[in-house]
């Protein structure tokens, strides 16, 4: 990537006394930025490398400005770098900025100009999001790395079971921990030769996942004492509690606990018009992995091994009157209530009472 041009450098010097609005369209290798002055005129459009050094070189010389960029792979570290340089950073929700995402004129330079104009008019048009801190992102990467290994292990287990069944035999045991090289001893010689390397890989992955579990428990114990508060709810383990805290990071960013249900995408969508109020699916906005974990927690709470609680009773009662898809809807509704409950426990610091009066803990009005 070429260094910033002499003309661009001279123009940057002239920006010292102006209030600027900048749109930054991030790419994997290079990015475009557009600078608007106070009157909304384009003063500079330039390309730069998507590296910390290039960002500091360009934006470190500018006065404090409002910089808008879209969510993406590079947006977390870029927003932190720009904030450290003293700029007002607005991270636009890429899915909600349809003027860019659904534009027929898709061009990095034009997108940067559109971001700058929207940020200059009204930042709320960009549906701004808040990125987590570097420490929270680093700790969350441990959880995401573990999730990647779990997905790979599940795929290998399904492959092993499918190959065994197609040969007229079966692998005994349901737990992934029981699938190892020793398991292949009960199979025919042909299957043993084919599956031993595969089962060895599964066994190795299980060991790596166990090590990640230990690391996650250590992070929770040393850095996040709030995890123990959330683990009071039966069905919420260290993984769910820590992922919840790292994803939300700041509990005070939500005015009401019930807003968390919308944040994680477990709230039904709305498309009311006139007298029409159709029943829609949940929005599925927010972090998909946290939403998956909350649904898994809800399955445990409503399942045969779930502990008795107001939340479990409420969910089972909802499932009874839900018709054909009653159980599915009850699980989603319970996951939404669980998200609200965890935030309430986090903010209030109070002890969880499983069979406390429902109106005091679970209903949205109390949240």
């Amino acid at each position: 990537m070429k260094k910033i041009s002499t003309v661009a450098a001279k123009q940057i010097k002239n920006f010292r006394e102006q209030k600027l609005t900048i749109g930054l369209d991030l790419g994997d290798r290079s990015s475009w930025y557009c600078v608007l002055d106070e009157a909304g005129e384009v003063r500079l459009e330039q390309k730069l490398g998507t590296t910390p050094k290039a960002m500091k070189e360009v934006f470190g010389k500018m006065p404090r400005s409002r910089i808008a960029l879209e969510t993406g792979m590079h947006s977390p570290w870029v927003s932190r770098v720009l904030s450290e340089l003293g700029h007002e950073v607005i991270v636009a929700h890429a899915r909600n900025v349809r003027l860019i995402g659904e534009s027929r004129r898709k061009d990095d330079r034009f997108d940067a100009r559109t971001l700058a104009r929207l940020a200059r008019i009204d930042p709320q048009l960009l549906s701004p999001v808040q990125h987590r801190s570097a420490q929270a992102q680093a700790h969350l990467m441990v959880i995401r790395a573990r999730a990647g290994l779990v997905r790979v292990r599940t795929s290998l287990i399904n492959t092993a079971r499918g190959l065994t069944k197609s040969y007229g035999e079966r692998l005994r045991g349901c737990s992934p921990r029981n699938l190892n090289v020793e398991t292949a001893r009960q199979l025919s010689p042909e299957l043993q030769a084919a599956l031993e390397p595969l089962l060895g890989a599964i066994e190795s992955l299980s060991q790596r996942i166990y090590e990640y579990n230990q690391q996650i428990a250590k992070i929770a114990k040393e850095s996040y004492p709030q995890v123990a508060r959330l683990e009071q709810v039966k069905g919420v383990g260290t993984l769910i509690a820590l992922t919840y805290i790292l994803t939300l990071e700041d509990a005070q960013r939500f005015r009401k606990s019930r807003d968390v249900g919308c944040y994680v995408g477990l709230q039904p969508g709305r498309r009311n018009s006139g007298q029409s109020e159709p029943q829609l699916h949940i929005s599925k906005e927010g972090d998909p992995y946290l939403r998956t974990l909350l649904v898994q927690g809800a399955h445990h709470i409503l399942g045969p091994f779930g502990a008795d609680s107001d939340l479990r009773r409420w969910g089972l009662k909802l499932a009874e009157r839900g018709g054909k898809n009653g159980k599915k809807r009850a699980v989603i509704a319970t996951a939404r209530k669980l998200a609200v409950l965890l935030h309430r426990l986090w903010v209030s610091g109070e002890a969880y009472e499983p069979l406390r009066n429902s109106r005091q803990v679970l209903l949205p009005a109390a949240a």
Side-chain angles (χ1 to χ4, degrees), residues 70-240:
E70 284 187 295
T71 53
M73 181 181 298
H74 297 282
S75 62
W77 70 262
V78 171
S79 62
R80 286 195 293 267
V81 168
L82 297 178
S83 296
E84 290 170 0
L85 293 174
H87 296 291
E88 176 193 355
V89 182
I90 301 172
V91 183
H93 195 310
R95 288 181 57 186
N96 293 348
V97 187
R98 296 189 176 183
L99 192 60
I100 296 176
E102 298 181 6
S103 173
R104 295 185 178 182
R105 184 181 175 184
K106 194 64 180 165
D107 178 77
D108 294 343
R109 186 173 183 173
F110 182 76
D111 291 348
R113 187 181 298 184
T114 304
L115 278 170
R117 295 199 182 283
L118 289 173
R120 179 177 174 271
I121 297 171
D122 184 0
Q124 294 303 316
L125 294 174
L126 298 172
S127 302
V129 301
Q130 178 181 334
H131 277 311
R132 58 186 60 89
S133 65
Q135 182 189 32
Q137 184 178 0
H139 289 159
L140 195 57
M141 282 194 294
V142 176
I143 295 176
R144 297 296 176 83
R146 176 193 177 276
L149 290 185
V150 171
R151 285 194 297 270
V152 173
R153 184 179 67 176
T154 301
S155 177
L156 293 180
I157 290 174
N158 291 339
T159 300
R161 291 190 183 280
L163 292 174
T164 306
K165 289 180 181 179
S166 67
Y167 205 69
E169 302 182 38
R170 287 180 180 273
L171 285 170
R172 302 298 178 186
C174 299
S175 174
R177 291 184 294 272
N178 297 331
L179 290 178
N180 48 44
V181 177
E182 293 299 323
T183 309
R185 306 300 181 200
Q186 59 183 312
L187 303 175
S188 60
E190 297 85 355
L191 275 177
Q192 288 186 36
L195 295 184
E196 277 189 1
L198 186 60
L199 294 175
I202 293 173
E203 187 176 6
S204 177
L205 284 174
S206 296
Q207 179 60 33
R208 301 290 85 76
I209 292 171
Y210 173 78
E211 293 172 1
Y212 269 126
N213 290 340
Q214 299 297 106
Q215 188 175 352
I216 289 170
K218 182 179 179 181
I219 291 173
K221 183 177 180 180
E222 294 180 352
S223 304
Y224 302 94
Q226 312 96 311
V227 168
R229 196 178 304 163
L230 272 56
E231 286 180 320
Q232 296 178 94
V233 182
K234 300 298 181 182
V236 175
T238 303
L239 179 63
I240 295 178

Side-chain angles (χ1 to χ4, degrees), residues 264-278:
V264 297
L266 291 169
Q267 190 77 10
R270 295 180 62 183
R271 192 173 293 170
N272 300 346
S273 178
Q275 302 300 319
S276 176
E277 296 184 7

Side-chain angles (χ1 to χ4, degrees), residues 51-64:
T51 63
K53 181 180 179 181
M55 295 289 171
K56 292 177 181 178
E57 180 184 351
V58 173
F59 298 108
K61 300 176 181 178
M62 293 187 180
R64 187 180 187 275

